[in-house]
Amino acid sequence: MKLKTAVLPGDGIGPEISRVGVDVMKAVAKRFGHDFEFDYGLAGAAAIKATGNPFPEETLKLCRDSDAVLFSAVGDPAYDNAPDAKIRPEQGLLAMRKQLGLFANIRPIQTFPGLEDKSPLKAEIVKGADFVCVRELTGGMYFGEKYESDEKAFDTNIYTRPEIERILRVAFRLASRRRKHLTVVDKANVLASSRLWRKVAQEMEKEWPDVVTDYMFVDNASMKLIQEPRFFDVIVTENTFGDILTDEASVISGSMGLLPSSSIGESTPVFEPIHGSWPQAAGLDIANPLAQVLSVAMLLEHFGMAEEGKMVRDAVDASIEQGVVTPDLAADGKSGYGTQEVGRWLSAWILTAGA
């Protein structure tokens, strides 16, 4: 298969984990005889420094002209500590989602055998947890009308029926392919926007009779994620709730460095780890690249390369089983491996496993 991928390393640890992701894709291409092309673009603080824009037109064009985007992370403390800054790295991420029409963010959450003790929750609670969060990505308060002054500020949480229908359709379809259980998370007892979400979902569930659909207020859902994560199969929710719940859910596995995501919609899909740029670790060769690598697996599977995606996942499982992991996942008393060393091991495993 011929595939053109736009690579956006971004900021902080982004370039380090991006390098591992690209190398893994190159190993897959070599093993399976594919033709993968990579072109690089700027995003986030790196783009602001070079162009004054966190998501410049050149990057947008690159993304639109590509089959997929492999994204890493954006963020810089210089902007975090400047509340009056008009331009921020994260605006580039929002712009990419909006301009590419990426309305659905899909985040698989799972635990990995042998790493249950890394979770802040008891092993008996998290063992076997395996669910997917579907977050609406281009509506709600993040994109609604805003106002800000020294005395007053507001963010408007606006959703339309078509926006809700299209994200619910993604979630119902995904649930029908998994364990046929969908949980719609809202705050319908308080928010008008949530009541529209629930109304539309109740109408649509009749179209998916094989899927058991239940409804949960966001505060209850946040508790249930901690008390009984195995209850969930697919969760769907609006933008703000989804942002918070997916970050909460991410620690179930024991490390944010383990979890990938995809963002899909009207244009080129984006595949990225769920973690941030961790600027304090930039250049130290300690960042966990596995979330980036598992994002590669999602990318391959999206384009019908199921066997290739499975091989990448098997490589990750093998690295965990054999202890070839970065310090955040290393066993007690072990120092762990460097980011690039883990990457080289994964690429070598893909090239040689079963050969």
Side-chain angles (χ1 to χ4, degrees), residues 142-184:
Y142 286 24
F143 293 95
E145 182 184 353
K146 299 178 183 296
Y147 174 81
E148 185 175 358
S149 72
D150 290 338
E151 302 297 327
K152 178 182 176 181
F154 63 77
D155 302 276
T156 309
N157 197 44
I158 296 178
Y159 273 105
T160 64
R161 175 178 284 269
E163 287 177 314
I164 299 169
E165 287 177 342
R166 67 182 183 180
I167 190 67
L168 285 172
R169 198 167 291 113
V170 170
F172 274 114
R173 190 178 299 121
L174 181 58
S176 71
R177 297 197 300 261
R178 286 176 51 90
R179 300 193 301 274
K180 304 184 186 306
H181 176 201
L182 177 65
T183 302
V184 180

mmCIF file of all heavy atoms in Angstrom, residues 142-184:
data_model
loop_
_atom_site.group_PDB
_atom_site.id
_atom_site.type_symbol
_atom_site.label_atom_id
_atom_site.label_comp_id
_atom_site.label_asym_id
_atom_site.label_seq_id
_atom_site.Cartn_x
_atom_site.Cartn_y
_atom_site.Cartn_z
ATOM 1 N N TYR A 142 -15.632 24.820 23.872
ATOM 2 C CA TYR A 142 -14.326 25.112 23.302
ATOM 3 C C TYR A 142 -14.421 25.979 22.050
ATOM 4 O O TYR A 142 -13.477 26.686 21.700
ATOM 5 C CB TYR A 142 -13.592 23.813 22.971
ATOM 6 C CG TYR A 142 -13.059 23.068 24.171
ATOM 7 C CD1 TYR A 142 -13.617 23.231 25.436
ATOM 8 C CD2 TYR A 142 -12.002 22.185 24.038
ATOM 9 C CE1 TYR A 142 -13.139 22.544 26.529
ATOM 10 C CE2 TYR A 142 -11.514 21.491 25.137
ATOM 11 C CZ TYR A 142 -12.085 21.666 26.381
ATOM 12 O OH TYR A 142 -11.603 20.977 27.453
ATOM 13 N N PHE A 143 -15.557 25.902 21.367
ATOM 14 C CA PHE A 143 -15.702 26.615 20.104
ATOM 15 C C PHE A 143 -16.887 27.582 20.103
ATOM 16 O O PHE A 143 -17.084 28.300 19.127
ATOM 17 C CB PHE A 143 -15.858 25.612 18.952
ATOM 18 C CG PHE A 143 -14.624 24.788 18.706
ATOM 19 C CD1 PHE A 143 -14.500 23.529 19.279
ATOM 20 C CD2 PHE A 143 -13.589 25.262 17.933
ATOM 21 C CE1 PHE A 143 -13.367 22.758 19.069
ATOM 22 C CE2 PHE A 143 -12.448 24.508 17.715
ATOM 23 C CZ PHE A 143 -12.331 23.252 18.287
ATOM 24 N N GLY A 144 -17.678 27.618 21.174
ATOM 25 C CA GLY A 144 -18.822 28.512 21.237
ATOM 26 C C GLY A 144 -18.418 29.959 21.462
ATOM 27 O O GLY A 144 -17.245 30.281 21.687
ATOM 28 N N GLU A 145 -19.400 30.842 21.425
ATOM 29 C CA GLU A 145 -19.145 32.272 21.628
ATOM 30 C C GLU A 145 -18.501 32.511 22.996
ATOM 31 O O GLU A 145 -18.901 31.920 24.000
ATOM 32 C CB GLU A 145 -20.460 33.050 21.544
ATOM 33 C CG GLU A 145 -20.281 34.558 21.707
ATOM 34 C CD GLU A 145 -21.593 35.310 21.720
ATOM 35 O OE1 GLU A 145 -22.640 34.678 21.468
ATOM 36 O OE2 GLU A 145 -21.574 36.524 21.998
ATOM 37 N N LYS A 146 -17.497 33.390 23.021
ATOM 38 C CA LYS A 146 -16.755 33.666 24.248
ATOM 39 C C LYS A 146 -16.724 35.166 24.522
ATOM 40 O O LYS A 146 -16.786 35.980 23.604
ATOM 41 C CB LYS A 146 -15.314 33.144 24.139
ATOM 42 C CG LYS A 146 -15.213 31.643 23.919
ATOM 43 C CD LYS A 146 -13.757 31.218 23.762
ATOM 44 C CE LYS A 146 -13.667 29.728 23.467
ATOM 45 N NZ LYS A 146 -14.172 28.914 24.574
ATOM 46 N N TYR A 147 -16.588 35.482 25.800
ATOM 47 C CA TYR A 147 -16.396 36.869 26.204
ATOM 48 C C TYR A 147 -15.514 36.873 27.443
ATOM 49 O O TYR A 147 -15.641 36.011 28.320
ATOM 50 C CB TYR A 147 -17.732 37.551 26.527
ATOM 51 C CG TYR A 147 -17.558 38.950 27.103
ATOM 52 C CD1 TYR A 147 -17.330 40.035 26.257
ATOM 53 C CD2 TYR A 147 -17.591 39.158 28.476
ATOM 54 C CE1 TYR A 147 -17.136 41.306 26.783
ATOM 55 C CE2 TYR A 147 -17.410 40.425 29.007
ATOM 56 C CZ TYR A 147 -17.185 41.502 28.168
ATOM 57 O OH TYR A 147 -16.988 42.753 28.681
ATOM 58 N N GLU A 148 -14.624 37.851 27.517
ATOM 59 C CA GLU A 148 -13.721 37.909 28.664
ATOM 60 C C GLU A 148 -13.339 39.352 28.972
ATOM 61 O O GLU A 148 -12.906 40.090 28.095
ATOM 62 C CB GLU A 148 -12.454 37.092 28.381
ATOM 63 C CG GLU A 148 -11.500 36.987 29.544
ATOM 64 C CD GLU A 148 -10.326 36.075 29.242
ATOM 65 O OE1 GLU A 148 -10.281 35.495 28.125
ATOM 66 O OE2 GLU A 148 -9.446 35.939 30.114
ATOM 67 N N SER A 149 -13.546 39.754 30.219
ATOM 68 C CA SER A 149 -13.067 41.042 30.716
ATOM 69 C C SER A 149 -12.594 40.832 32.141
ATOM 70 O O SER A 149 -12.638 39.720 32.667
ATOM 71 C CB SER A 149 -14.186 42.085 30.676
ATOM 72 O OG SER A 149 -15.152 41.814 31.686
ATOM 73 N N ASP A 150 -12.154 41.908 32.782
ATOM 74 C CA ASP A 150 -11.695 41.784 34.165
ATOM 75 C C ASP A 150 -12.839 41.528 35.138
ATOM 76 O O ASP A 150 -12.619 41.088 36.269
ATOM 77 C CB ASP A 150 -10.949 43.054 34.593
ATOM 78 C CG ASP A 150 -9.607 43.182 33.895
ATOM 79 O OD1 ASP A 150 -9.086 42.147 33.431
ATOM 80 O OD2 ASP A 150 -9.092 44.310 33.797
ATOM 81 N N GLU A 151 -14.057 41.803 34.713
ATOM 82 C CA GLU A 151 -15.208 41.674 35.602
ATOM 83 C C GLU A 151 -16.162 40.538 35.238
ATOM 84 O O GLU A 151 -16.965 40.110 36.061
ATOM 85 C CB GLU A 151 -16.007 42.994 35.602
ATOM 86 C CG GLU A 151 -15.197 44.213 36.027
ATOM 87 C CD GLU A 151 -14.694 44.106 37.460
ATOM 88 O OE1 GLU A 151 -15.399 43.502 38.289
ATOM 89 O OE2 GLU A 151 -13.600 44.627 37.741
ATOM 90 N N LYS A 152 -16.054 40.044 34.008
ATOM 91 C CA LYS A 152 -17.039 39.062 33.553
ATOM 92 C C LYS A 152 -16.450 38.225 32.423
ATOM 93 O O LYS A 152 -15.682 38.723 31.604
ATOM 94 C CB LYS A 152 -18.299 39.790 33.067
ATOM 95 C CG LYS A 152 -19.400 38.909 32.519
ATOM 96 C CD LYS A 152 -20.553 39.797 32.046
ATOM 97 C CE LYS A 152 -21.662 38.978 31.398
ATOM 98 N NZ LYS A 152 -22.766 39.840 30.919
ATOM 99 N N ALA A 153 -16.823 36.957 32.398
ATOM 100 C CA ALA A 153 -16.370 36.085 31.313
ATOM 101 C C ALA A 153 -17.401 34.979 31.117
ATOM 102 O O ALA A 153 -18.067 34.560 32.061
ATOM 103 C CB ALA A 153 -15.002 35.485 31.639
ATOM 104 N N PHE A 154 -17.531 34.507 29.860
ATOM 105 C CA PHE A 154 -18.388 33.353 29.636
ATOM 106 C C PHE A 154 -17.933 32.580 28.408
ATOM 107 O O PHE A 154 -17.267 33.108 27.521
ATOM 108 C CB PHE A 154 -19.869 33.753 29.495
ATOM 109 C CG PHE A 154 -20.184 34.645 28.320
ATOM 110 C CD1 PHE A 154 -20.262 34.146 27.023
ATOM 111 C CD2 PHE A 154 -20.434 36.004 28.523
ATOM 112 C CE1 PHE A 154 -20.569 34.973 25.954
ATOM 113 C CE2 PHE A 154 -20.747 36.835 27.461
ATOM 114 C CZ PHE A 154 -20.813 36.324 26.171
ATOM 115 N N ASP A 155 -18.280 31.295 28.417
ATOM 116 C CA ASP A 155 -18.067 30.398 27.288
ATOM 117 C C ASP A 155 -19.406 29.744 26.991
ATOM 118 O O ASP A 155 -20.051 29.209 27.899
ATOM 119 C CB ASP A 155 -17.026 29.329 27.627
ATOM 120 C CG ASP A 155 -15.691 29.924 28.025
ATOM 121 O OD1 ASP A 155 -14.904 30.232 27.134
ATOM 122 O OD2 ASP A 155 -15.450 30.052 29.247
ATOM 123 N N THR A 156 -19.811 29.744 25.744
ATOM 124 C CA THR A 156 -21.139 29.267 25.386
ATOM 125 C C THR A 156 -21.086 27.816 24.895
ATOM 126 O O THR A 156 -20.313 27.488 23.994
ATOM 127 C CB THR A 156 -21.742 30.145 24.278
ATOM 128 O OG1 THR A 156 -21.639 31.519 24.659
ATOM 129 C CG2 THR A 156 -23.203 29.797 24.057
ATOM 130 N N ASN A 157 -21.912 26.975 25.514
ATOM 131 C CA ASN A 157 -21.914 25.543 25.192
ATOM 132 C C ASN A 157 -23.048 25.255 24.201
ATOM 133 O O ASN A 157 -24.163 24.912 24.587
ATOM 134 C CB ASN A 157 -22.107 24.721 26.471
ATOM 135 C CG ASN A 157 -21.720 23.272 26.272
ATOM 136 O OD1 ASN A 157 -20.705 22.969 25.679
ATOM 137 N ND2 ASN A 157 -22.553 22.360 26.765
ATOM 138 N N ILE A 158 -22.759 25.407 22.922
ATOM 139 C CA ILE A 158 -23.768 25.261 21.882
ATOM 140 C C ILE A 158 -23.579 23.944 21.131
ATOM 141 O O ILE A 158 -22.466 23.611 20.721
ATOM 142 C CB ILE A 158 -23.716 26.425 20.880
ATOM 143 C CG1 ILE A 158 -24.057 27.745 21.570
ATOM 144 C CG2 ILE A 158 -24.661 26.182 19.709
ATOM 145 C CD1 ILE A 158 -23.985 28.947 20.665
ATOM 146 N N TYR A 159 -24.681 23.203 20.962
ATOM 147 C CA TYR A 159 -24.686 22.010 20.118
ATOM 148 C C TYR A 159 -25.938 22.008 19.250
ATOM 149 O O TYR A 159 -27.019 22.400 19.693
ATOM 150 C CB TYR A 159 -24.650 20.724 20.958
ATOM 151 C CG TYR A 159 -23.245 20.293 21.298
ATOM 152 C CD1 TYR A 159 -22.733 20.483 22.574
ATOM 153 C CD2 TYR A 159 -22.418 19.733 20.327
ATOM 154 C CE1 TYR A 159 -21.436 20.112 22.883
ATOM 155 C CE2 TYR A 159 -21.127 19.361 20.626
ATOM 156 C CZ TYR A 159 -20.642 19.548 21.897
ATOM 157 O OH TYR A 159 -19.350 19.184 22.191
ATOM 158 N N THR A 160 -25.788 21.537 18.029
ATOM 159 C CA THR A 160 -26.920 21.389 17.122
ATOM 160 C C THR A 160 -27.228 19.905 16.950
ATOM 161 O O THR A 160 -26.377 19.042 17.184
ATOM 162 C CB THR A 160 -26.614 21.998 15.749
ATOM 163 O OG1 THR A 160 -25.533 21.263 15.137
ATOM 164 C CG2 THR A 160 -26.215 23.464 15.877
ATOM 165 N N ARG A 161 -28.443 19.623 16.525
ATOM 166 C CA ARG A 161 -28.834 18.228 16.313
ATOM 167 C C ARG A 161 -27.891 17.498 15.338
ATOM 168 O O ARG A 161 -27.469 16.370 15.629
ATOM 169 C CB ARG A 161 -30.288 18.171 15.816
ATOM 170 C CG ARG A 161 -30.765 16.779 15.437
ATOM 171 C CD ARG A 161 -32.215 16.775 15.015
ATOM 172 N NE ARG A 161 -33.088 16.876 16.180
ATOM 173 C CZ ARG A 161 -33.566 15.830 16.843
ATOM 174 N NH1 ARG A 161 -33.236 14.604 16.465
ATOM 175 N NH2 ARG A 161 -34.360 16.004 17.869
ATOM 176 N N PRO A 162 -27.539 18.074 14.187
ATOM 177 C CA PRO A 162 -26.632 17.347 13.285
ATOM 178 C C PRO A 162 -25.286 17.023 13.929
ATOM 179 O O PRO A 162 -24.724 15.950 13.680
ATOM 180 C CB PRO A 162 -26.469 18.307 12.097
ATOM 181 C CG PRO A 162 -27.718 19.121 12.102
ATOM 182 C CD PRO A 162 -28.044 19.316 13.545
ATOM 183 N N GLU A 163 -24.746 17.947 14.745
ATOM 184 C CA GLU A 163 -23.481 17.669 15.415
ATOM 185 C C GLU A 163 -23.604 16.480 16.363
ATOM 186 O O GLU A 163 -22.712 15.634 16.451
ATOM 187 C CB GLU A 163 -23.034 18.896 16.213
ATOM 188 C CG GLU A 163 -22.527 20.055 15.378
ATOM 189 C CD GLU A 163 -22.179 21.259 16.234
ATOM 190 O OE1 GLU A 163 -22.979 21.629 17.117
ATOM 191 O OE2 GLU A 163 -21.098 21.839 16.011
ATOM 192 N N ILE A 164 -24.710 16.428 17.077
ATOM 193 C CA ILE A 164 -24.927 15.343 18.032
ATOM 194 C C ILE A 164 -25.165 14.023 17.310
ATOM 195 O O ILE A 164 -24.614 12.976 17.690
ATOM 196 C CB ILE A 164 -26.114 15.681 18.960
ATOM 197 C CG1 ILE A 164 -25.809 16.947 19.753
ATOM 198 C CG2 ILE A 164 -26.412 14.520 19.907
ATOM 199 C CD1 ILE A 164 -27.003 17.527 20.494
ATOM 200 N N GLU A 165 -25.959 14.066 16.255
ATOM 201 C CA GLU A 165 -26.274 12.834 15.517
ATOM 202 C C GLU A 165 -25.019 12.194 14.943
ATOM 203 O O GLU A 165 -24.849 10.965 14.999
ATOM 204 C CB GLU A 165 -27.269 13.145 14.399
ATOM 205 C CG GLU A 165 -28.680 13.410 14.881
ATOM 206 C CD GLU A 165 -29.636 13.777 13.761
ATOM 207 O OE1 GLU A 165 -29.144 14.160 12.664
ATOM 208 O OE2 GLU A 165 -30.849 13.692 13.979
ATOM 209 N N ARG A 166 -24.119 13.009 14.392
ATOM 210 C CA ARG A 166 -22.963 12.408 13.719
ATOM 211 C C ARG A 166 -21.998 11.764 14.708
ATOM 212 O O ARG A 166 -21.419 10.714 14.428
ATOM 213 C CB ARG A 166 -22.254 13.433 12.830
ATOM 214 C CG ARG A 166 -21.579 14.573 13.548
ATOM 215 C CD ARG A 166 -20.958 15.557 12.572
ATOM 216 N NE ARG A 166 -20.251 16.626 13.267
ATOM 217 C CZ ARG A 166 -19.625 17.621 12.642
ATOM 218 N NH1 ARG A 166 -19.618 17.676 11.320
ATOM 219 N NH2 ARG A 166 -18.997 18.555 13.336
ATOM 220 N N ILE A 167 -21.822 12.353 15.896
ATOM 221 C CA ILE A 167 -20.918 11.740 16.872
ATOM 222 C C ILE A 167 -21.563 10.506 17.494
ATOM 223 O O ILE A 167 -20.899 9.494 17.747
ATOM 224 C CB ILE A 167 -20.482 12.762 17.951
ATOM 225 C CG1 ILE A 167 -19.356 12.182 18.826
ATOM 226 C CG2 ILE A 167 -21.648 13.204 18.811
ATOM 227 C CD1 ILE A 167 -18.061 11.971 18.120
ATOM 228 N N LEU A 168 -22.890 10.553 17.716
ATOM 229 C CA LEU A 168 -23.579 9.376 18.237
ATOM 230 C C LEU A 168 -23.524 8.226 17.245
ATOM 231 O O LEU A 168 -23.386 7.061 17.633
ATOM 232 C CB LEU A 168 -25.025 9.712 18.571
ATOM 233 C CG LEU A 168 -25.259 10.539 19.838
ATOM 234 C CD1 LEU A 168 -26.715 10.967 19.931
ATOM 235 C CD2 LEU A 168 -24.869 9.749 21.087
ATOM 236 N N ARG A 169 -23.575 8.544 15.968
ATOM 237 C CA ARG A 169 -23.505 7.498 14.954
ATOM 238 C C ARG A 169 -22.158 6.781 15.014
ATOM 239 O O ARG A 169 -22.089 5.547 14.899
ATOM 240 C CB ARG A 169 -23.735 8.113 13.567
ATOM 241 C CG ARG A 169 -24.102 7.109 12.492
ATOM 242 C CD ARG A 169 -24.613 7.807 11.236
ATOM 243 N NE ARG A 169 -25.906 8.443 11.451
ATOM 244 C CZ ARG A 169 -26.107 9.759 11.442
ATOM 245 N NH1 ARG A 169 -25.097 10.584 11.220
ATOM 246 N NH2 ARG A 169 -27.313 10.254 11.636
ATOM 247 N N VAL A 170 -21.085 7.540 15.221
ATOM 248 C CA VAL A 170 -19.763 6.931 15.381
ATOM 249 C C VAL A 170 -19.748 6.002 16.590
ATOM 250 O O VAL A 170 -19.238 4.875 16.542
ATOM 251 C CB VAL A 170 -18.676 8.027 15.529
ATOM 252 C CG1 VAL A 170 -17.334 7.412 15.937
ATOM 253 C CG2 VAL A 170 -18.526 8.811 14.238
ATOM 254 N N ALA A 171 -20.325 6.459 17.697
ATOM 255 C CA ALA A 171 -20.304 5.678 18.938
ATOM 256 C C ALA A 171 -21.164 4.422 18.833
ATOM 257 O O ALA A 171 -20.747 3.339 19.266
ATOM 258 C CB ALA A 171 -20.780 6.558 20.097
ATOM 259 N N PHE A 172 -22.371 4.535 18.267
ATOM 260 C CA PHE A 172 -23.230 3.365 18.108
ATOM 261 C C PHE A 172 -22.559 2.330 17.205
ATOM 262 O O PHE A 172 -22.599 1.121 17.480
ATOM 263 C CB PHE A 172 -24.586 3.773 17.513
ATOM 264 C CG PHE A 172 -25.602 4.210 18.529
ATOM 265 C CD1 PHE A 172 -26.046 5.526 18.568
ATOM 266 C CD2 PHE A 172 -26.131 3.304 19.439
ATOM 267 C CE1 PHE A 172 -26.995 5.928 19.502
ATOM 268 C CE2 PHE A 172 -27.082 3.699 20.366
ATOM 269 C CZ PHE A 172 -27.514 5.015 20.403
ATOM 270 N N ARG A 173 -21.960 2.805 16.123
ATOM 271 C CA ARG A 173 -21.299 1.888 15.187
ATOM 272 C C ARG A 173 -20.144 1.156 15.880
ATOM 273 O O ARG A 173 -19.973 -0.059 15.716
ATOM 274 C CB ARG A 173 -20.789 2.678 13.976
ATOM 275 C CG ARG A 173 -20.311 1.812 12.828
ATOM 276 C CD ARG A 173 -19.871 2.659 11.648
ATOM 277 N NE ARG A 173 -20.955 3.482 11.129
ATOM 278 C CZ ARG A 173 -20.936 4.799 11.049
ATOM 279 N NH1 ARG A 173 -19.877 5.469 11.463
ATOM 280 N NH2 ARG A 173 -21.962 5.451 10.558
ATOM 281 N N LEU A 174 -19.379 1.890 16.672
ATOM 282 C CA LEU A 174 -18.258 1.281 17.377
ATOM 283 C C LEU A 174 -18.754 0.264 18.408
ATOM 284 O O LEU A 174 -18.207 -0.840 18.523
ATOM 285 C CB LEU A 174 -17.431 2.376 18.062
ATOM 286 C CG LEU A 174 -16.185 1.941 18.831
ATOM 287 C CD1 LEU A 174 -15.211 1.195 17.926
ATOM 288 C CD2 LEU A 174 -15.491 3.157 19.441
ATOM 289 N N ALA A 175 -19.787 0.630 19.158
ATOM 290 C CA ALA A 175 -20.332 -0.284 20.169
ATOM 291 C C ALA A 175 -20.869 -1.558 19.529
ATOM 292 O O ALA A 175 -20.727 -2.657 20.086
ATOM 293 C CB ALA A 175 -21.432 0.415 20.966
ATOM 294 N N SER A 176 -21.466 -1.429 18.339
ATOM 295 C CA SER A 176 -22.020 -2.606 17.666
ATOM 296 C C SER A 176 -20.940 -3.590 17.252
ATOM 297 O O SER A 176 -21.202 -4.782 17.084
ATOM 298 C CB SER A 176 -22.841 -2.182 16.444
ATOM 299 O OG SER A 176 -22.015 -1.707 15.397
ATOM 300 N N ARG A 177 -19.687 -3.093 17.110
ATOM 301 C CA ARG A 177 -18.570 -3.958 16.726
ATOM 302 C C ARG A 177 -17.816 -4.497 17.940
ATOM 303 O O ARG A 177 -16.939 -5.348 17.782
ATOM 304 C CB ARG A 177 -17.599 -3.194 15.815
ATOM 305 C CG ARG A 177 -18.197 -2.757 14.483
ATOM 306 C CD ARG A 177 -17.104 -2.396 13.487
ATOM 307 N NE ARG A 177 -16.266 -1.314 13.957
ATOM 308 C CZ ARG A 177 -16.392 -0.045 13.605
ATOM 309 N NH1 ARG A 177 -17.369 0.304 12.777
ATOM 310 N NH2 ARG A 177 -15.565 0.877 14.062
ATOM 311 N N ARG A 178 -18.149 -3.975 19.127
ATOM 312 C CA ARG A 178 -17.456 -4.423 20.333
ATOM 313 C C ARG A 178 -18.406 -5.284 21.182
ATOM 314 O O ARG A 178 -18.934 -6.275 20.684
ATOM 315 C CB ARG A 178 -16.939 -3.197 21.113
ATOM 316 C CG ARG A 178 -15.718 -2.537 20.447
ATOM 317 C CD ARG A 178 -15.303 -1.280 21.178
ATOM 318 N NE ARG A 178 -15.140 -1.480 22.600
ATOM 319 C CZ ARG A 178 -13.988 -1.844 23.202
ATOM 320 N NH1 ARG A 178 -12.904 -2.035 22.478
ATOM 321 N NH2 ARG A 178 -13.929 -1.972 24.517
ATOM 322 N N ARG A 179 -18.661 -4.883 22.424
ATOM 323 C CA ARG A 179 -19.485 -5.696 23.323
ATOM 324 C C ARG A 179 -20.933 -5.207 23.375
ATOM 325 O O ARG A 179 -21.691 -5.588 24.265
ATOM 326 C CB ARG A 179 -18.861 -5.715 24.721
ATOM 327 C CG ARG A 179 -17.448 -6.310 24.726
ATOM 328 C CD ARG A 179 -16.969 -6.624 26.129
ATOM 329 N NE ARG A 179 -16.946 -5.470 27.005
ATOM 330 C CZ ARG A 179 -15.937 -4.598 27.111
ATOM 331 N NH1 ARG A 179 -14.848 -4.759 26.349
ATOM 332 N NH2 ARG A 179 -15.987 -3.576 27.948
ATOM 333 N N LYS A 180 -21.279 -4.315 22.441
ATOM 334 C CA LYS A 180 -22.666 -3.871 22.247
ATOM 335 C C LYS A 180 -23.254 -3.194 23.483
ATOM 336 O O LYS A 180 -24.400 -3.442 23.873
ATOM 337 C CB LYS A 180 -23.547 -5.051 21.807
ATOM 338 C CG LYS A 180 -23.042 -5.746 20.540
ATOM 339 C CD LYS A 180 -23.969 -6.837 20.088
ATOM 340 C CE LYS A 180 -23.374 -7.613 18.919
ATOM 341 N NZ LYS A 180 -22.969 -6.778 17.779
ATOM 342 N N HIS A 181 -22.458 -2.311 24.064
ATOM 343 C CA HIS A 181 -22.907 -1.549 25.240
ATOM 344 C C HIS A 181 -22.419 -0.109 25.084
ATOM 345 O O HIS A 181 -21.220 0.144 24.997
ATOM 346 C CB HIS A 181 -22.339 -2.159 26.523
ATOM 347 C CG HIS A 181 -22.676 -1.384 27.762
ATOM 348 N ND1 HIS A 181 -21.939 -1.491 28.932
ATOM 349 C CD2 HIS A 181 -23.653 -0.472 28.027
ATOM 350 C CE1 HIS A 181 -22.455 -0.684 29.845
ATOM 351 N NE2 HIS A 181 -23.489 -0.059 29.319
ATOM 352 N N LEU A 182 -23.361 0.843 25.039
ATOM 353 C CA LEU A 182 -23.021 2.249 24.886
ATOM 354 C C LEU A 182 -23.544 3.039 26.084
ATOM 355 O O LEU A 182 -24.719 2.921 26.447
ATOM 356 C CB LEU A 182 -23.629 2.820 23.601
ATOM 357 C CG LEU A 182 -23.416 4.316 23.358
ATOM 358 C CD1 LEU A 182 -21.937 4.628 23.165
ATOM 359 C CD2 LEU A 182 -24.224 4.801 22.153
ATOM 360 N N THR A 183 -22.664 3.854 26.673
ATOM 361 C CA THR A 183 -23.048 4.742 27.768
ATOM 362 C C THR A 183 -22.960 6.181 27.281
ATOM 363 O O THR A 183 -21.892 6.643 26.882
ATOM 364 C CB THR A 183 -22.142 4.545 28.987
ATOM 365 O OG1 THR A 183 -22.198 3.173 29.410
ATOM 366 C CG2 THR A 183 -22.581 5.444 30.136
ATOM 367 N N VAL A 184 -24.104 6.867 27.304
ATOM 368 C CA VAL A 184 -24.163 8.278 26.917
ATOM 369 C C VAL A 184 -24.016 9.109 28.191
ATOM 370 O O VAL A 184 -24.815 8.989 29.116
ATOM 371 C CB VAL A 184 -25.497 8.613 26.221
ATOM 372 C CG1 VAL A 184 -25.533 10.084 25.816
ATOM 373 C CG2 VAL A 184 -25.711 7.709 25.007
#
